[in-house]
Amino acid sequence: MKLALERSGNGAPLVFLHAFPLSRKMWEPQRVLSKNFQFIAVDFPGFGESLLETRSASMEQMARDVITTLDAADLKDPAIFIGLSMGGYVLLQLAKLFPERLRGLAMVSTRASADSIEARARRYQNIEIAEKEGAAALGEKMLPSLLGETTMKSRPAVVTTVRAIAAKQTAAAVSAALRGMAERPDMTETLSQIKCPVFVASGREDTVIKTSEMETMAKALPHAEFAAIDQVGHLLNLERPDVFNDLFLHFLKRRLL
Ligand code: MLT
């Protein structure tokens, strides 16, 4: 299916894939990159302005939807894809299914492995919360894991932004993505097949996916550059946008332009 897509700017295309339980709005602080690049962001099924057609949104189907959407917008040249957390899970499917579409990647706060038994059980508990109490309640519960300790204490505007984006999503979209993430396969073997440069970024206060785990993932990628950012958690692009944008821009200039 076609997803909601927005684009601005000119130049090499940067395609942003959002985290759970948010929408493309989480990439607002990266819109400044449209000064030098084409900024493109999509909403996954049911999130933001995209429709939801299935009960379970698999990572593979979402990757296919991204390509269908780019094709429909006549964006068929290889692009630089940026995926944060769930966006990164989708990115690995995209790398496996459509390697010819990759010019470069950024894998932020994400992992290649599947859920542990405990993590899968937590997803089904979260589906119950979303269905009984709503997506906003689930977003509220998740806030301390989505944001680092420093942000929770000293960046109230970021907390407000994340809370507001999460509150706008529907229980149906959130539940479909949770089912898709719970059922996603291990993609570790795909890492060694990725031939393009990859920027790997982790927040040192991320409690969902630890910096050490991301460093190990970076080592399995043949052409990766790893950056660990201080005083941020999982949603590091929103927590310290200037630091993230600078590091990413340097990577793009050095490795991809
Ligand atoms: C995300 O940020 O997309 C989620 O933390 C992913 C997950 O729950 O595994």
Side-chain angles (χ1 to χ4, degrees):
M1 71 175 258
K2 241 175 82 181
L3 305 170
L5 171 143
E6 69 169 282
R7 62 198 286 191
S8 54
N10 291 301
L14 301 180
V15 182
F16 290 88
L17 306 180
H18 67 81
F20 173 89
L22 305 177
S23 72
R24 69 176 199 266
K25 296 280 178 232
M26 66 164 270
W27 297 113
E28 206 50 48
Q30 279 63 56
R31 195 187 283 281
V32 290
L33 299 173
S34 68
K35 273 191 227 144
N36 305 98
F37 296 89
Q38 200 173 165
F39 171 92
I40 299 160
V42 298
D43 284 326
F44 285 131
F47 291 90
E49 294 175 307
S50 286
L51 299 174
L52 181 67
E53 292 178 342
T54 50
R55 212 173 150 266
S56 172
S58 77
M59 303 300 109
E60 176 180 339
Q61 190 53 51
M62 291 204 257
R64 293 187 186 281
D65 291 343
V66 169
I67 295 298
T68 301
T69 307
L70 294 177
D71 285 352
D74 211 18
L75 289 160
K76 294 184 183 156
D77 289 338
I80 298 153
F81 291 88
I82 303 94
L84 193 147
S85 205
M86 179 174 78
Y89 308 158
V90 175
L91 213 46
L92 286 176
Q93 287 289 338
L94 204 143
K96 182 177 172 193
L97 297 167
F98 306 98
E100 73 287 354
R101 303 294 288 254
L102 310 184
R103 175 163 167 186
L105 292 180
M107 304 208 34
V108 186
S109 312
T110 194
R111 56 162 62 102
S113 55
D115 273 0
S116 62
I117 292 169
E118 298 76 31
R120 197 167 295 143
R122 258 195 316 276
R123 303 248 188 235
Y124 288 102
Q125 285 163 8
N126 284 343
I127 291 174
E128 272 195 55
I129 295 176
E131 287 176 350
K132 285 195 188 129
E133 300 169 37
L138 180 62
E140 197 61 39
K141 173 183 167 242
M142 289 181 67
L143 269 181
S145 54
L146 291 173
L147 297 168
E149 200 187 338
T150 308
T151 300
M152 289 301 282
K153 274 198 215 130
S154 60
R155 299 184 185 113
V158 178
V159 179
T160 303
T161 299
V162 173
R163 179 180 281 134
I165 302 174
K168 283 210 176 79
Q169 312 314 319
T170 65
V174 162
S175 301
L178 284 166
R179 286 188 191 94
M181 288 192 285
E183 291 152 20
R184 76 186 194 283
D186 184 285
M187 297 296 288
T188 308
E189 283 188 6
T190 298
L191 297 174
S192 63
Q193 319 283 315
I194 298 179
K195 304 280 182 264
C196 62
V198 186
F199 176 62
V200 181
S202 166
R204 286 202 192 272
E205 295 179 3
D206 190 346
T207 54
V208 181
I209 302 178
K210 298 237 160 57
T211 297
S212 55
E213 184 180 346
M214 290 213 62
E215 204 166 1
T216 305
M217 183 181 78
K219 286 188 184 135
L221 287 156
H223 309 285
E225 275 188 26
F226 179 71
I229 305 178
D230 290 330
Q231 298 187 328
V232 290
H234 198 57
L235 297 176
L236 55 89
N237 70 300
L238 279 158
E239 295 177 71
R240 291 185 80 190
D242 295 350
V243 175
F244 173 76
N245 289 353
D246 269 9
L247 287 167
F248 185 42
L249 257 181
H250 275 108
F251 164 83
L252 290 171
K253 287 188 178 147
R254 242 189 354 266
R255 303 289 297 269
L256 283 161
L257 297 183

